[in-house]
Amino acid sequence: MNKFLCLLIFLLIPASVFSQVKFDTVNVKQIGEGAFHYSIIASSVPWTLEVIEFDLTNGIYSLETVKAQDRLAAYEKTSSMSARKSVSGHEVIAAINGDFYSGGTPTNLQVLKGEILTRPINREVFGYSGNSEMFINTTSYDGVLKIGEATNSISNVNRVRNSNQIIFYNHFFGSSTATNNFGTELTLKAIDPWIVNGEVRTVVVSKSVNEGNSSLTDSTFVLSGHGAGATTLNGVSIGDTLTINHKVSPATDAITEAVGGSAKFLNDGVNQGNWPERHPRSALGFNADTTKFYLVTVDGRQSTSAGMTLTELGDFMLGIGAHNALNLDGGGSTTLVVHNEVANSPSDGAGERSVANALMLVSNKQKIGSLHRLNIDPSIKKIYRDQSFTYKVEGTDENYFPVNLNTEELTFSLSEGFDAEISDTGLFTAGNNPDTGYVFVEYNGYKDSSLVEIKGIMSFNLFPEKAVTDDNQDLVFFNKSYDSDGISQSVSNANVNWEVEDENIGTIENDVFKGLAEGVTNVIGTFDGVSDTSQVEVQIGSGITQIEDFESIEGISLDGENIDLSNSSVSTAENTFSEGEKALKIDYQFTYAGTPSTWAYVRTNIPVFGVPDTIIIDGLTDGKQHLIDAILTDDNGEEFTIRLKRYADNTDFEEYYLSMESVQATDPFSSYYYPITITGIGIKLKSEQQTGETYSGSIYFDNMRLSYPKNLNVSIEEIPDIPSESRLDQNYPNPFNPTTVISFSIAKSGFTTLKVYDILGREVATLLNENMSSGSHDISFDGSNLSSGIYIYRLSSKGTTITRRMTLIK
């Protein structure tokens, strides 16, 4: 009961901070007296956080830093450091990765049990003293060496010795100072316990002049001087007592532990986070009266957690009670360890990363070893229908240290009537319906339980919301569905209940709508009792229909990329056209400046009826090898293009065929649905790409039209009457590869020929050369043995000759 009370209190705090984000505490585990580990998620973002909260007024705890492999320049995993430092009476119950680093050396100040490893830089440091006083500040270093009454400066700690300096070396640096023989070195032993910001008396045990590379041990340290520094040390004799004071300002109290970071993002309750990118993050913090301390990690770069900005992490930590907080090294270094086990999910593919140092929460309690309580993990679980996961069960002794369990003796069960399954190994499988219940676990008389919510769909959305189709093309729907936490869930269309309001206009089977007759109807999809509606209009086009005659430039404009718009324009040409009395003329000019491409865009707004298969436009160019795109926009404002599959370089008008099968999305995540609007014609202008050269020319367009596919669903009763005159239809598809169908009608029976010619007028195929009855006919043409290009097909029957063009593209 206490566990769940604590859980509910904790859950209320961050929810008020992020009103738009729902946080769920999915697990609470007591890891020590007054110490708790919380696992928290915000599924809608998503975020996954781990929080350690403990009471520093409890005398059983202390904070300690640890150095990888106890060497200045070394790497080690946080879990390894934690395990290595855990001994009876000194148990590490939690640890977090520490400072940023380079070559295994911490970037900023580190103090370990009073011993200094590195001097600070101009970044914030967390400092802690044995009386539980602490600070987060940017600090500076002033090392002081007292020889008798004389005061001298210590230039640096565990760094390469430079001219006229005195450098302090201790055992963390390595087995020796690695200095050259141009100086004096004193080997000393501390009389007092080491402390930072306090005088420590030391005694000289040996002295070497012009030798260098003095040995370092766990009980000794070395002062190494060069130049003026060597002169100072030369006046010291073996047995002399010297005083060392590693001063770190502005802190005034003695410091026993310190670790560096970057950015104090909570400062006396004010969020001043200024790192805007979302990354995995590690942080430490404490409340206003320094009685509560927090270790926090947020996972990132994973599907389950996006990482946080420093502002977001600051808001979260304010919500849980922190008043001051320091950002530690994040990214792939982010690691939280609880009882020597990694508790978070590190972002590196290889798992936990080796780092330079860590901060540990240490307890002076001892492991008892006998089972005192049982913990099921997680204590609260939200899971979507039909999904599975496996519970973990842990035992702890009376001091909350882990106790090994015989997993074969665990017994799992479910609350009565709960629509789910649980295996003997703790594998939980949700049922197919939303529900709430409990999972129980029992072990040798000890029990624990987990509250489980099986989530259903709360938001079900059909796409497209509006669409146009015909009686020939299937319209396929998809859905975007979200559960009660705003998490996207996959809902198979096969499990959706589909309905068409007007079945005279169309029918639907699974997610496929088929148009029957022109009109508007609603399609309704329902899942988990949640419905959404899409509006479908059936528009049935036929034959070839003109949609723009370009007799006027009203509603037409010109823009472009890398083009001189002041010397480029659109107008109508009265003497050059393919149909009517005028054509659209584009005059262009640009000076090549090394840019890869130059585009002219003719902006239009031409609605498209129904579902055509081809856009046809007559074009005439200045003979250069330009590229042509049709620019389309669907009902959602998403843009698409169709590229003409050859150069537009003919100086006479010819037909350009832009197949709807070649539509490409400008944004690869866009979905293409009718209705569409032709919003422009793009012309990639050809030039010799000579820098500084000016290029100009003119391009003409006329007679834009749409070609609709032949309706293949005509019943026997709907066969049209015998035509009053012969007709030759546009082949379909066109362009084609390698086969196409040519449809024609003959008014009177008689001898009929249908032949194909290349662009030079040479006959390449005879498709028909016989007597034919009046009526409509279809003939297939296979161009497998022909090369890509424009071909002419000609129908001759009873004195009537009709010619059309078609395009073969391979």
Side-chain angles (χ1 to χ4, degrees):
M1 187 66 183
N2 289 336
K3 176 174 71 173
F4 285 97
L5 178 62
C6 178
L7 166 66
L8 292 172
I9 293 173
F10 190 85
L11 209 109
L12 292 175
I13 299 172
S16 64
V17 180
F18 297 107
S19 58
Q20 74 280 18
V21 177
K22 182 181 179 182
F23 284 89
D24 287 316
T25 303
V26 295
N27 197 51
V28 181
K29 182 168 66 175
Q30 189 164 359
I31 57 175
E33 186 178 316
F36 294 88
H37 171 207
Y38 303 92
S39 296
I40 303 169
I41 62 173
S43 300
S44 60
V45 181
W47 284 323
T48 301
L49 300 106
E50 306 295 333
V51 177
I52 302 296
E53 178 194 84
F54 54 92
D55 185 353
L56 269 178
T57 63
N58 193 322
I60 68 173
Y61 295 125
S62 62
L63 286 170
E64 294 181 14
T65 68
V66 58
K67 183 66 193 71
Q69 299 184 34
D70 295 331
R71 296 282 299 272
L72 184 66
Y75 295 99
E76 188 177 0
K77 293 180 178 179
T78 303
S79 59
S80 173
M81 288 185 268
S82 172
R84 184 164 55 83
K85 294 299 180 180
S86 291
V87 295
S88 181
H90 185 274
E91 298 288 349
V92 180
I93 66 171
I96 194 169
N97 67 290
D99 194 6
F100 298 79
Y101 51 85
S102 176
T105 300
T107 302
N108 208 339
L109 174 70
Q110 183 176 357
V111 178
L112 195 165
K113 293 183 178 178
E115 291 193 78
I116 189 167
L117 282 73
T118 53
R119 62 173 290 170
I121 60 173
N122 189 31
R123 285 182 178 176
E124 292 88 346
V125 166
F126 166 71
Y128 171 80
S129 57
N131 58 2
S132 298
E133 294 187 4
M134 61 194 74
F135 68 86
I136 299 174
N137 284 318
T138 300
T139 59
S140 60
Y141 174 77
D142 180 21
V144 177
L145 168 64
K146 289 179 66 174
I147 304 175
E149 297 300 319
T151 300
N152 305 274
S153 293
I154 298 174
S155 302
N156 213 329
V157 175
N158 288 330
R159 295 294 185 188
V160 174
R161 184 189 68 195
N162 293 320
S163 299
N164 299 312
Q165 290 184 334
I166 296 176
I167 305 297
F168 176 94
Y169 292 100
N170 60 20
H171 62 97
F172 292 102
F173 185 76
S175 60
S176 65
T177 61
T179 52
N180 59 33
N181 58 351
F182 300 108
T184 297
E185 294 189 333
L186 304 178
T187 300
L188 305 97
K189 181 176 291 189
I191 300 173
D192 301 319
W194 280 110
I195 198 73
V196 169
N197 280 355
E199 292 189 343
V200 176
R201 294 173 299 156
T202 67
V203 61
V204 180
V205 295
S206 67
K207 177 179 179 179
S208 63
V209 180
N210 297 329
E211 293 183 12
N213 199 30
S214 297
S215 296
L216 297 167
T217 67
D218 291 348
S219 60
T220 63
F221 69 97
V222 170
L223 293 174
S224 178
H226 176 276
T231 300
T232 298
L233 299 184
N234 283 337
V236 176
S237 300
I238 296 173
D240 286 353
T241 298
L242 311 183
T243 301
I244 304 290
N245 190 349
H246 294 296
K247 292 184 177 181
V248 173
S249 300
T252 56
D253 294 330
I255 301 172
T256 56
E257 305 288 337
V259 66
S262 179
K264 182 182 182 181
F265 60 97
L266 288 188
N267 186 16
D268 293 335
V270 177
N271 186 352
Q272 53 190 29
N274 60 355
W275 206 325
E277 299 88 8
R278 282 179 168 173
H279 292 294
R281 297 196 183 277
S282 300
L284 60 84
F286 46 88
N287 65 355
D289 62 6
T290 68
T291 58
K292 296 286 186 181
F293 200 88
Y294 308 93
L295 303 177
V296 177
T297 62
V298 54
D299 293 335
R301 303 170 187 170
Q302 302 171 62
S303 61
T304 53
S305 189
M308 278 183 164
T309 69
L310 213 50
T311 303
E312 290 168 337
L313 183 57
D315 284 343
F316 176 82
M317 291 190 67
L318 282 171
I320 64 175
H323 197 65
N324 291 278
L326 175 65
N327 180 56
L328 302 171
D329 186 20
S333 298
T334 292
T335 308
L336 184 72
V337 172
V338 177
H339 288 309
N340 303 328
E341 297 290 336
V342 177
N344 71 311
S345 177
S347 64
D348 282 1
E352 183 187 2
R353 178 185 292 182
S354 294
V355 294
N357 60 7
L359 179 67
M360 306 182 300
L361 173 63
V362 179
S363 169
N364 63 18
K365 291 283 188 178
Q366 293 188 347
K367 293 181 178 179
I368 305 301
S370 56
L371 185 63
H372 187 74
R373 64 185 62 83
L374 203 61
N375 296 310
I376 188 170
D377 182 7
S379 49
I380 295 179
K381 179 66 178 180
K382 290 186 175 183
I383 186 170
Y384 184 64
R385 53 195 296 166
D386 295 325
Q387 294 182 348
S388 299
F389 77 100
T390 301
Y391 276 100
K392 293 192 302 182
V393 181
E394 299 174 340
T396 61
D397 63 18
E398 62 183 78
N399 289 330
Y400 303 96
F401 293 114
V403 173
N404 291 330
L405 302 176
N406 182 356
T407 57
E408 293 183 357
E409 296 180 12
L410 292 170
T411 302
F412 292 93
S413 60
L414 300 173
S415 56
E416 185 176 353
F418 190 23
D419 182 21
E421 295 179 357
I422 187 82
S423 74
D424 293 340
T425 60
L427 175 64
F428 177 89
T429 303
N432 193 41
N433 298 298
D435 200 358
T436 301
Y438 285 90
V439 170
F440 302 106
V441 63
E442 184 174 354
Y443 183 86
N444 292 340
Y446 293 92
K447 299 178 180 180
D448 199 14
S449 63
S450 172
L451 175 64
V452 183
E453 177 190 344
I454 300 175
K455 298 183 291 183
I457 291 298
M458 298 295 290
S459 175
F460 176 76
N461 306 283
L462 285 184
F463 293 91
E465 298 174 0
K466 292 184 178 181
V468 167
T469 189
D470 61 8
D471 58 349
N472 190 60
Q473 177 170 291
D474 292 341
L475 174 60
V476 180
F477 287 94
F478 69 96
N479 72 81
K480 292 182 180 178
S481 302
Y482 302 88
D483 64 24
S484 56
D485 289 318
I487 302 174
S488 176
Q489 299 289 356
S490 176
V491 172
S492 171
N493 279 336
N495 295 326
V496 174
N497 181 42
W498 298 96
E499 179 185 354
V500 177
E501 282 189 350
D502 189 340
E503 295 185 348
N504 294 317
I505 294 173
T507 62
I508 192 164
E509 184 176 348
N510 290 332
D511 54 355
V512 180
F513 177 90
K514 296 181 181 293
L516 298 177
E518 288 195 333
V520 179
T521 186
N522 288 327
V523 172
I524 304 166
T526 304
F527 183 80
D528 261 2
V530 184
S531 300
D532 195 26
T533 300
S534 291
Q535 185 184 86
V536 180
E537 182 171 0
V538 178
Q539 297 177 349
I540 302 174
S542 62
I544 297 177
T545 302
Q546 186 184 73
I547 56 172
E548 178 59 65
D549 58 11
F550 294 114
E551 296 292 306
S552 166
I553 62 169
E554 183 179 353
I556 297 175
S557 61
L558 182 70
D559 60 34
E561 298 176 14
N562 306 314
I563 189 174
D564 181 2
L565 288 174
S566 63
N567 289 299
S568 303
S569 63
V570 288
S571 61
T572 54
E574 296 184 357
N575 299 320
T576 306
F577 52 83
S578 65
E579 292 283 341
E581 298 179 354
K582 297 177 184 179
L584 182 70
K585 181 183 180 184
I586 301 98
D587 293 309
Y588 68 86
Q589 180 174 305
F590 64 94
T591 301
Y592 186 73
T595 52
S597 59
T598 303
W599 284 87
Y601 296 113
V602 179
R603 301 300 183 183
T604 64
N605 186 28
I606 305 171
V608 171
F609 177 84
V611 185
D613 60 0
T614 307
I615 300 172
I616 308 169
I617 186 170
D618 297 340
L620 180 155
T621 75
D622 47 20
K624 298 175 183 176
Q625 292 183 332
H626 306 295
L627 293 176
I628 304 295
D629 283 357
I631 304 171
L632 315 174
T633 304
D634 67 8
D635 200 43
N636 295 325
E638 297 173 325
E639 188 177 87
F640 304 83
T641 60
I642 305 175
R643 172 66 53 85
L644 181 66
K645 295 184 179 297
R646 60 186 181 86
Y647 291 119
D649 57 0
N650 203 323
T651 54
D652 294 322
F653 270 108
E654 64 174 317
E655 295 175 328
Y656 297 152
Y657 294 90
L658 298 127
S659 172
M660 304 305 290
E661 294 181 353
S662 301
V663 169
Q664 296 291 324
T666 302
D667 182 342
F669 296 102
S670 297
S671 299
Y672 181 72
Y673 287 97
Y674 294 90
I676 60 171
T677 301
I678 300 174
T679 53
I681 303 171
I683 310 161
K684 187 176 182 181
L685 297 166
K686 174 67 175 179
S687 73
E688 285 69 41
Q689 297 189 346
Q690 296 297 315
T691 301
E693 286 290 319
T694 297
Y695 299 92
S696 61
S698 298
I699 298 170
Y700 300 81
F701 293 115
D702 200 5
N703 190 25
M704 181 182 286
R705 50 212 186 274
L706 301 175
S707 171
Y708 294 91
K710 179 177 176 63
N711 191 323
L712 302 179
N713 297 320
V714 179
S715 67
I716 295 175
E717 290 76 17
E718 296 172 325
I719 295 176
D721 296 334
I722 296 173
S724 59
E725 60 181 22
S726 297
R727 187 181 74 247
L728 178 63
D729 294 338
Q730 185 65 52
N731 64 300
Y732 176 78
N734 186 50
F736 67 98
N737 178 26
T739 60
T740 188
V741 175
I742 298 171
S743 300
F744 60 94
S745 299
I746 299 173
K748 296 180 180 181
S749 302
F751 189 79
T752 304
T753 63
L754 180 60
K755 296 185 178 184
V756 180
Y757 303 86
D758 65 18
I759 199 66
L760 299 177
R762 295 174 296 192
E763 183 179 329
V764 297
T766 298
L767 305 182
L768 186 65
N769 190 33
E770 60 185 86
N771 285 312
M772 297 292 293
S773 61
S774 59
S776 299
H777 305 274
D778 295 328
I779 288 185
S780 295
F781 171 53
D782 188 339
S784 299
N785 60 340
L786 300 178
S787 58
S788 297
I790 297 173
Y791 292 88
I792 298 166
Y793 58 103
R794 179 176 297 159
L795 175 71
S796 297
S797 180
K798 301 294 286 186
T800 299
T801 299
I802 308 173
T803 300
R804 283 190 175 274
R805 292 185 178 192
M806 58 184 172
T807 303
L808 172 63
I809 297 176
K810 293 186 174 181

